[in-house]
Amino acid sequence: MKILLIAEIWANIKAKNINQTYTYSVPEKLNYITAGWRVTVPFGRQRVDGFVLKVYEGDPNAFEFTLKSIIAAIDDEAWFTEEMMSSAKWLADFYLCPLSQTMSLFMPGNKSRKIAAIYENIYKLKPEYNIDELIEVTPKKAKAQLRLLNLLKSKIELRHSELSANKISSATIKLFKDSGMIEVERRRILRDSYGGIKPDKKNIDLTDEQKAAIETVSSSIKAGENRGFLLYGVTGSGKTQVYIEITKRVRQLGRRAVILVPEIGLTGQIVYEFKRHFKDIIVLHSRLSIDERGDAFHKIRNGEVGIVIGARSALFTPIDNVGLFVLDEEQDYSYKQGEAPYYHARVVAEQFAKFHNAALVLGSATPSLDTYYRATAGDLTMLKLPHRVRGNELPEVECVDMREELKRGNRNVLSRSLQRLLRNTLDNQQQAILLLNRRGYSTFVMCRECGEVIKCPDCGLPMVYHRDGKLRCHHCDIEETPPDICPKCGSRYIKYFGSGTQRLEQALKIALPNAKILRMDRDTTGKKFSHQQMITKFKEHEYDILFGTQMVAKGHDIDNVTAVGILSADATLNLPDFRASEQCFMLITQAAGRAGRAELKGKVVVQAYNPDHEAVVFGCQQDYDSFCKYELPLRKELMYPPYSRMIKLIFTGKDETKVQSNAQEIVNIFDEEFDLGGDSEMMGPAPAIVAKYKDIYRFVVIIKTTELDKVIDFLRKYQLNIRDDIIIDIDPTTMF
């Protein structure tokens, strides 16, 4: 019997129905390959990359088919650790997606490719030679040789890149090398785009509230407990410093930490703060090149890194022995992956904390209602920071009714109150931040005269404006033609919302011609580090006003910012989504928190068309507890999260009638297996907000359940997870 190495390999291809491993023989030249290696294999008539899940000895003749052989290894070492593979398997099982999708999360790019590592020669004098004696016998005319010896005396080792700077030629190096006096080491150069950050050192006086929070979490970490915490602190209460102090305790115990922020724009600031206290930090996010991320993985794998900081993708590194996971601004929707696999970083971090027996800290001034409810129920430990660290008050907030502005003849996107605030701010040599809330624009129809939004006559939710010129309710599937006049007041000021940052920029230039204005949105932040460069320039007061979309609303801590303006603050209320009020409240509270964070008093102007809505009122009052008391009973009555978990199914296809029929068929089967009105229910099917995209029709079904595992088993039983015409999104952040 002929014994060879056999490998079970998962092909890295996107097809959902290929949900298994394939068996290959391992050629003798690759007999070092073990589980975790990335390889190239033949697959049908093509070559694909794959992941080795298992290697064992076996007889190739024992198979009913002829084994194909692995073609090549992609890397110089195993890419996946055992922990990474276990995590990928859990992700694939929970999110009902192929293992190839979840294993791809742990790679720098979507496809396996060898990281373009950079190496450099390092020159050292061999230990048996005395450098002082060599300098004495060297001829004075041999200036290049003397320079090399004196340099080696002061530096011990010399990088190849330093030769030209010190006027040392390759010929001089070769002379010493050929004589056997110098040894050459080929060393990998590890790129670090954040290596140049040199933060200033300053002493931080902790408040009693911070100390209490730090001690509670640290005690749990020291005891080796897996425990979750909600760090609920008002804007400016010093949550970042709490993260830092807890991380110190983790590092003292020899364990490591993963710190997540929701957006790339916030990465630089938290890295700056952490670098005041730590050196062994690596930063990961999507704007780094694949090779830079590959270098970061190399450092982590080799134990050179104790702290990983980054956006949600920073969860998927080869880091081990983690004692702490932190999600700053845990409520942020950016923690949700917008493409397959549709994971939520909060859910994944909690599971990874269990794997590592680590602490999980969720921090926010406006926690998601899901997280807040879990903390009040005792599932998470609540830690409160109710005061700002500098003892200053929260900013004063004024809410402007934009309907009244219109009645008084002001058709500008800037209210008169906001214009006055901006002029006063600039006169006092202070700065302002303006947020244009674009979420929800171009999806609803509203009367600017009275603020009436066209709603579904059956369920009362806002109807959605589609590109075909129709209004549709995504709950009831009712279709209507948009009115020419307001059905409430008879006004013809019916508006399809769609103003953007460029229009705001024009209005600012007209109202404040001498102001230095900086726009931050997707159009201006496409380049690497553009977020951080903009914030740095704004901090240094090169600009008077920073304005943009939601990326300016949270996380930034700038002493000279005393004024904040929020335009169309209530736009999210008109989304056909049960979280619309929560989004509105959080946006106002977070954006308002950018003002008056130092000694100077802050002032905020909130512009709204529905200023009496509870989300707007409580947001302007920055009263989170009252908002929760208003919102949670509504959620409970309708069995929405946090009183259930949700799954969104999107059915797709080119035949509209067939797509809707396929969706209805699943709804009917579901209703037969689950008691109607019980612990699980389905809503829909209804057209997606973008009901047709690239000739593909899309219908949505929503599942609400208190038995998530049972529903996942149902989806797997009917093989919805391997159908190419169905997208499965567990814990969606949008309804449609």
Side-chain angles (χ1 to χ4, degrees):
M1 182 177 72
K2 186 177 181 181
I3 301 296
L4 288 177
L5 286 180
I6 308 295
E8 299 295 329
I9 294 174
W10 197 285
N12 186 16
I13 51 180
K14 292 184 177 180
K16 285 185 178 181
N17 57 356
I18 299 179
N19 200 25
Q20 65 179 70
T21 61
Y22 290 85
T23 308
Y24 291 85
S25 64
V26 181
E28 188 174 345
K29 65 179 181 179
L30 298 176
N31 62 8
Y32 53 83
I33 284 178
T34 59
W37 280 76
R38 303 190 298 177
V39 295
T40 303
V41 295
F43 193 86
R45 296 182 179 180
Q46 58 182 330
R47 292 184 173 190
V48 301
D49 53 272
F51 315 120
V52 179
L53 299 187
K54 182 180 179 182
V55 176
Y56 57 94
E57 290 185 345
D59 180 6
N61 297 319
F63 292 87
E64 297 178 357
F65 50 88
T66 302
L67 291 183
K68 294 182 180 180
S69 178
I70 296 174
I71 297 169
I74 293 174
D75 306 298
D76 297 327
E77 58 186 338
W79 185 265
F80 297 95
T81 65
E82 184 178 340
E83 290 82 1
M84 292 164 76
M85 291 194 292
S86 297
S87 298
K89 290 174 183 175
W90 175 84
L91 284 159
D93 185 57
F94 181 77
Y95 286 105
L96 296 172
C97 58
L99 185 62
S100 56
Q101 285 186 352
T102 59
M103 291 192 79
S104 293
L105 293 172
F106 294 84
M107 300 190 305
N110 291 329
K111 286 290 184 181
S112 298
R113 76 160 175 83
K114 187 179 180 67
I115 299 300
I118 301 175
Y119 292 88
E120 185 177 32
N121 286 341
I122 305 295
Y123 305 104
K124 301 178 183 178
L125 191 71
K126 289 185 177 180
E128 58 265 31
Y129 290 92
N130 185 302
I131 199 162
D132 290 322
E133 292 179 358
L134 290 175
I135 290 173
E136 287 183 9
V137 301
T138 303
K140 301 299 182 187
K141 294 181 180 180
K143 295 182 179 179
Q145 296 177 37
L146 282 170
R147 277 198 303 274
L148 175 58
L149 289 171
N150 281 308
L151 200 59
L152 287 172
K153 182 178 180 180
S154 62
K155 297 197 68 170
I156 301 176
E157 63 180 39
L158 182 64
R159 303 171 70 97
H160 186 81
S161 57
E162 296 175 305
L163 295 181
S164 59
N166 289 279
K167 298 180 180 179
I168 298 170
S169 67
S170 298
T172 303
I173 284 287
K174 186 175 184 303
L175 178 67
F176 277 75
K177 183 182 173 184
D178 290 346
S179 68
M181 297 166 63
I182 279 183
E183 57 186 5
V184 183
E185 174 190 342
R186 193 165 182 261
R187 187 180 298 171
R188 183 171 177 175
I189 299 174
L190 299 172
R191 289 150 286 197
D192 180 3
S193 296
Y194 290 82
I197 293 181
K198 302 292 188 234
D200 58 306
K201 298 288 184 181
K202 67 176 183 180
N203 295 323
I204 303 292
D205 294 324
L206 298 173
T207 65
D208 291 340
E209 295 158 354
Q210 287 175 310
K211 291 176 182 176
I214 293 163
E215 182 56 36
T216 301
V217 181
S218 298
S219 297
S220 177
I221 293 170
K222 189 174 182 180
E225 299 174 338
N226 167 230
R227 190 171 164 193
F229 302 87
L230 168 58
L231 183 62
Y232 166 33
V234 299
T235 56
S237 60
K239 292 183 289 294
T240 300
Q241 195 61 38
V242 172
Y243 306 150
I244 289 170
E245 298 300 327
I246 295 169
T247 303
K248 286 181 181 178
R249 310 302 195 276
V250 170
R251 296 300 294 132
Q252 288 167 2
L253 293 171
R255 303 187 72 184
R256 301 158 103 180
V258 176
I259 315 295
L260 301 187
V261 292
E263 296 179 4
I264 298 169
L266 301 177
T267 305
Q269 180 167 315
I270 202 164
V271 170
Y272 184 90
E273 295 298 328
F274 265 74
K275 282 208 168 188
R276 285 179 170 154
H277 305 269
F278 307 98
K279 294 182 179 179
D280 56 343
I281 295 173
I282 203 71
V283 185
L284 283 170
H285 55 69
S286 60
R287 292 284 172 84
L288 301 180
S289 71
I290 290 176
D291 295 328
E292 283 178 313
R293 282 177 273 165
D295 283 351
F297 272 47
H298 182 83
K299 282 186 175 181
I300 295 168
R301 186 179 283 113
N302 288 351
E304 300 174 36
V305 172
I307 303 165
V308 175
I309 298 177
R312 62 177 184 266
S313 61
L315 279 169
F316 307 109
T317 74
I319 194 167
D320 60 5
N321 193 24
V322 181
L324 173 66
F325 290 88
V326 170
L327 271 75
D328 188 33
E329 305 289 359
E330 67 84 27
Q331 83 290 343
D332 199 282
Y333 283 13
S334 298
Y335 282 125
K336 177 71 174 181
Q337 171 91 336
E339 59 186 17
Y342 296 89
Y343 71 88
H344 198 298
R346 185 173 60 229
V347 176
V348 175
E350 184 167 3
Q351 187 63 37
F352 284 9
K354 291 178 182 177
F355 291 160
H356 289 270
N357 209 31
L360 171 69
V361 176
L362 307 174
S364 178
T366 56
S368 65
L369 288 184
D370 299 39
T371 299
Y372 179 80
Y373 176 78
R374 291 182 62 196
T376 57
D379 192 28
L380 300 170
T381 300
M382 180 85 80
L383 307 170
K384 290 189 176 183
L385 302 178
H387 304 103
R388 287 186 159 185
V389 291
R390 300 185 184 183
N392 51 337
E393 297 179 358
L394 292 172
E396 174 191 346
V397 181
E398 175 189 357
C399 187
V400 176
D401 187 341
M402 293 303 287
R403 297 169 300 183
E404 293 298 320
E405 287 290 305
L406 180 64
K407 289 178 182 177
R408 296 177 183 178
N410 180 20
R411 302 183 186 280
N412 199 312
V413 295
L414 302 171
S415 65
R416 288 168 297 178
S417 290
L418 182 53
Q419 291 184 48
R420 284 194 298 270
L421 174 61
L422 293 175
R423 290 192 189 100
N424 291 337
T425 301
L426 269 58
D427 288 345
N428 292 325
Q429 304 298 310
Q430 295 163 7
Q431 293 170 282
I433 292 178
L434 298 183
L435 165 68
L436 174 61
N437 181 20
R438 293 198 56 194
R439 191 180 182 91
Y441 273 145
S442 301
T443 62
F444 64 94
V445 178
M446 187 184 75
C447 172
R448 285 195 65 187
E449 187 76 27
C450 69
E452 178 73 5
V453 173
I454 308 303
K455 296 180 179 178
C456 172
D458 282 2
C459 70
L461 285 172
M463 298 192 78
V464 177
Y465 180 72
H466 284 253
R467 293 179 181 177
D468 61 3
K470 298 292 186 181
L471 289 173
R472 292 189 180 91
C473 174
H474 288 264
H475 282 258
C476 307
D477 203 24
I478 291 175
E479 180 177 289
E480 292 187 354
T481 300
D484 294 323
I485 63 172
C486 174
K488 183 177 181 180
C489 72
S491 168
R492 292 189 176 275
Y493 288 110
I494 295 288
K495 183 173 177 61
Y496 300 81
F497 274 74
S499 60
T501 51
Q502 292 182 353
R503 181 182 171 191
L504 174 57
E505 184 172 23
Q506 183 180 12
L508 285 170
K509 288 180 178 178
I510 293 172
L512 303 161
N514 297 321
K516 293 174 288 184
I517 301 169
L518 180 62
R519 175 161 62 98
M520 178 183 280
D521 57 19
R522 289 187 178 181
D523 294 334
T524 62
T525 57
K527 294 182 179 179
K528 185 176 176 182
F529 300 121
S530 52
H531 293 88
Q532 189 58 35
Q533 290 166 1
M534 285 184 173
I535 293 299
T536 298
K537 289 180 179 180
F538 187 60
K539 275 188 174 183
E540 295 173 352
H541 208 158
E542 293 185 29
Y543 295 90
D544 303 309
I545 300 173
L546 171 68
F547 78 96
T549 49
Q550 294 199 22
M551 62 182 70
V552 306
K554 52 189 171 290
H556 307 304
D557 189 352
I558 302 170
D559 287 355
N560 200 43
V561 171
T562 58
V564 166
I566 307 172
L567 284 68
S568 300
D570 55 344
T572 52
L573 293 177
N574 303 303
L575 291 170
D577 196 303
F578 73 94
R579 291 190 180 94
S581 292
E582 182 179 5
Q583 294 175 39
C584 176
F585 171 83
M586 289 179 173
L587 183 84
I588 293 172
T589 306
Q590 289 282 349
R594 300 313 105 207
R597 295 173 71 94
E599 289 75 17
L600 301 172
K601 178 70 175 176
K603 175 72 183 292
V604 180
V605 170
V606 175
Q607 297 184 178
Y609 286 93
N610 193 356
D612 298 324
H613 192 282
E614 288 82 356
V616 178
V617 172
F618 292 134
C620 290
Q621 294 172 354
Q622 299 168 80
D623 187 347
Y624 181 85
D625 292 340
S626 294
F627 174 73
C628 289
K629 290 176 183 177
Y630 156 75
E631 182 71 11
L632 283 173
L634 301 178
R635 300 275 187 94
K636 187 175 184 179
E637 181 179 354
L638 297 172
M639 204 180 101
Y640 279 124
Y643 301 98
S644 68
R645 297 284 287 275
M646 286 179 57
I647 299 176
K648 179 167 67 175
L649 306 179
I650 304 177
F651 292 78
T652 64
K654 292 190 175 183
D655 185 326
E656 182 179 15
T657 302
K658 185 177 180 181
V659 174
Q660 187 173 12
S661 175
N662 289 341
Q664 188 62 55
E665 179 184 1
I666 295 300
V667 172
N668 294 340
I669 295 172
F670 184 90
D671 288 345
E672 290 177 3
E673 295 210 9
F674 294 84
D675 293 334
L676 291 176
D679 296 324
S680 300
E681 64 179 69
M682 269 191 174
M683 299 188 302
I689 281 185
V690 182
K692 186 180 181 183
Y693 180 68
K694 294 184 178 179
D695 292 327
I696 299 295
Y697 290 94
R698 297 150 50 89
F699 280 82
V700 174
V701 170
I702 297 291
I703 304 173
K704 296 185 291 187
T705 182
T706 59
E707 301 176 310
L708 184 61
D709 291 343
K710 188 176 178 180
V711 174
I712 288 176
D713 288 342
F714 167 84
L715 300 177
R716 192 179 286 112
K717 173 183 175 181
Y718 289 95
Q719 298 187 325
L720 271 65
N721 57 313
I722 64 172
R723 283 177 53 174
D724 289 331
D725 66 329
I726 299 176
I727 296 170
I728 300 176
D729 184 356
I730 296 175
D731 296 320
T733 52
T734 59
M735 292 280 283
F736 297 97

